[in-house]
Amino acid sequence: MKNSSFISDSVFEMSLYYTRKQNKTKELFFKCLDQDKDEEYFKTELEKIWGEETEYIEEQITIFREQLHKQHTSTKLGTIIIAGLGITKQLIDKTNKQFINKKIKEYSVRINSPLLQTDKQDYLKKLVPKYTNDTKGYYSNGKLVRNVSPRTYNSMVYNTTLTRNGWIQTLNDGEELNQRLYYIPFHIFSCPYCMSYQERIFTREECIRMLGTDNEGAEEILHPNCKCVLAFYDNDNPLREIDFAKGEEEYYIRQKVNSLTLKKSEIANDIKIQKSLGNQDSVDKLNAQRNKINKEIREQKEKLDTREKQVSVTAIKRIFQ
């Protein structure tokens, strides 16, 4: 599914975008502590890093629309997407403000700590690995599950927005082509809620009802971070039996590479910070971690290459059978 892969790639780009912001924030945090900058200075510089958020989101949504090469013409669907984009901006803006405020408060505590003046180098050296970006509470059924970073939360919100945009675009195209029936293809690692909807046929009206009127959706499907795409149903292509195992390894490998790439970026930032603080022993340990991650990324990519070659060989054999 082209929409699915495009959404996945776009969400990873969003993750990289917020990784850079979080890294810059951490670097600023320790640079200011090391140079004894006051709280107002830190606040001003921090707000510079986290500015222009709405413009970035609007830009990414525009890219997504251009990728689909269509404009929304249905009044009802247009209303849904406009409302959804508004909610997305509000959620991301709120998350970023919470992060900024918590970092300002944290900086205020650290800059006024007697330990900072007693033995600054040792204090900051030990503080670097304790620093966290996980400032946003993630709740399920009214209970706090865990705290997550702006990168994690905003990427989830962005994924949900693009997924809903994809549904709306498919329905919009279907309206122009007089397509009445749709289905939701199975995807790897589906949640139990989505599984009950996959590889089933739905009418256009049912799909619009599932979209709902806000970013949550009217049903269990299209929940936050949902990855279910919508497709035209064609009688010539029968629905398939759901098989969890098929493609699971490749999906896992790609997710693993993405996760390691983000982790490597964070370690590189910590190396930069520890080096600026004159902590060479910490730099050496972090370099060893980075080398280990680089090795693991290479190994995972080799697995992907092997799988792709196997698929190519299988395809060639089928041609000549």
Side-chain angles (χ1 to χ4, degrees), residues 16 30 53 60 81 135 168 230 252 254 264 313 318:
L16 289 174
F30 285 96
E53 285 304 298
Q60 297 308 303
I81 194 170
T135 57
I168 291 169
L230 189 66
Y252 174 79
R254 293 188 185 280
K264 185 173 76 168
V313 170
R318 286 175 179 172

Side-chain angles (χ1 to χ4, degrees), residues 64-297:
F64 178 67
R65 283 178 171 171
E66 291 174 351
Q67 178 76 10
L68 296 174
H69 304 296
K70 292 285 184 179
Q71 297 296 322
H72 302 297
T73 57
S74 169
T75 302
K76 184 167 184 178
L77 294 179
T79 301
I80 292 174
I81 194 170
I82 290 171
L85 290 175
I87 293 172
T88 298
K89 292 174 194 173
Q90 291 173 17
L91 290 172
I92 289 178
D93 185 55
K94 182 179 179 180
T95 300
N96 294 343
K97 285 181 178 178
Q98 287 178 345
F99 179 79
I100 291 171
N101 290 335
K102 287 187 177 182
K103 284 303 163 188
I104 290 172
K105 290 180 181 178
E106 183 183 351
Y107 185 81
S108 178
V109 171
R110 299 301 184 183
I111 194 66
N112 292 303
S113 171
L115 294 174
L116 182 66
Q117 306 306 324
T118 304
D119 190 345
K120 179 185 290 185
Q121 184 176 24
D122 186 63
Y123 178 70
L124 294 181
K125 173 185 175 180
K126 293 177 179 178
L127 186 59
V128 172
K130 295 179 181 179
Y131 178 99
T132 179
N133 292 304
D134 298 338
T135 57
K136 172 71 176 180
Y138 181 75
Y139 294 82
S140 178
N141 298 322
K143 295 182 178 180
L144 178 65
V145 177
R146 64 183 182 278
N147 289 316
V148 297
S149 67
R151 178 184 73 196
T152 300
Y153 187 82
N154 291 346
S155 296
M156 177 189 73
V157 171
Y158 185 57
N159 177 93
T160 306
T161 299
L162 290 190
T163 299
R164 289 175 60 80
N165 268 270
W167 273 54
I168 291 169
Q169 185 60 59
T170 299
L171 289 169
N172 190 65
D173 291 346
E175 185 178 40
E176 295 179 4
L177 299 170
N178 199 30
Q179 175 75 25
R180 300 306 305 166
L181 298 178
Y182 302 81
Y183 80 107
I184 301 168
F186 166 71
H187 67 83
I188 302 301
F189 296 141
S190 304
C191 70
Y193 300 125
C194 294
M195 279 289 294
S196 62
Y197 290 88
Q198 291 171 0
E199 299 299 325
R200 286 175 52 193
I201 302 170
F202 299 96
T203 64
R204 175 182 173 79
E205 290 71 25
E206 287 175 322
C207 293
I208 291 176
R209 179 175 55 78
M210 284 189 279
L211 272 169
T213 56
D214 56 32
N215 233 23
E216 293 291 335
E219 308 226 358
E220 292 171 333
I221 199 166
L222 289 177
H223 55 77
N225 214 31
C226 181
K227 303 183 187 303
C228 291
V229 299
L230 189 66
F232 290 174
Y233 174 71
D234 185 350
N235 289 325
D236 295 331
N237 295 313
L239 300 177
R240 60 195 174 111
E241 292 293 327
I242 293 178
D243 181 3
F244 272 112
K246 188 175 181 180
E248 184 173 331
E249 183 181 359
E250 181 176 346
Y251 179 91
Y252 174 79
I253 293 172
R254 293 188 185 280
Q255 291 297 98
K256 183 73 172 178
V257 170
N258 287 348
S259 176
L260 290 170
T261 300
L262 296 174
K263 182 64 178 176
K264 185 173 76 168
S265 175
E266 293 174 348
I267 290 177
N269 194 58
D270 282 0
I271 289 173
K272 186 177 180 181
I273 293 171
Q274 293 286 22
K275 189 176 290 185
S276 70
L277 297 174
N279 299 320
Q280 189 57 45
D281 58 334
S282 295
V283 171
D284 293 339
K285 290 177 182 178
L286 288 167
N287 272 322
Q289 290 180 32
R290 181 167 61 177
N291 291 337
K292 185 178 180 180
I293 288 178
N294 282 332
K295 180 182 178 183
E296 190 169 357
I297 289 176

Side-chain angles (χ1 to χ4, degrees), residues 26-80:
K26 187 172 183 178
E27 185 180 356
L28 173 69
F29 188 89
F30 285 96
K31 180 180 178 181
C32 288
L33 286 176
D34 189 41
Q35 297 178 0
D36 296 319
K37 298 293 186 180
D38 61 31
E39 296 159 48
E40 191 60 34
Y41 177 88
F42 175 74
K43 177 183 176 182
T44 300
E45 295 302 309
L46 182 61
E47 289 174 344
K48 289 179 183 178
I49 293 174
W50 289 86
E52 309 297 328
E53 285 304 298
T54 300
E55 289 78 0
Y56 176 78
I57 299 302
E58 289 176 343
E59 178 186 342
Q60 297 308 303
I61 295 296
T62 300
I63 292 173
F64 178 67
R65 283 178 171 171
E66 291 174 351
Q67 178 76 10
L68 296 174
H69 304 296
K70 292 285 184 179
Q71 297 296 322
H72 302 297
T73 57
S74 169
T75 302
K76 184 167 184 178
L77 294 179
T79 301
I80 292 174

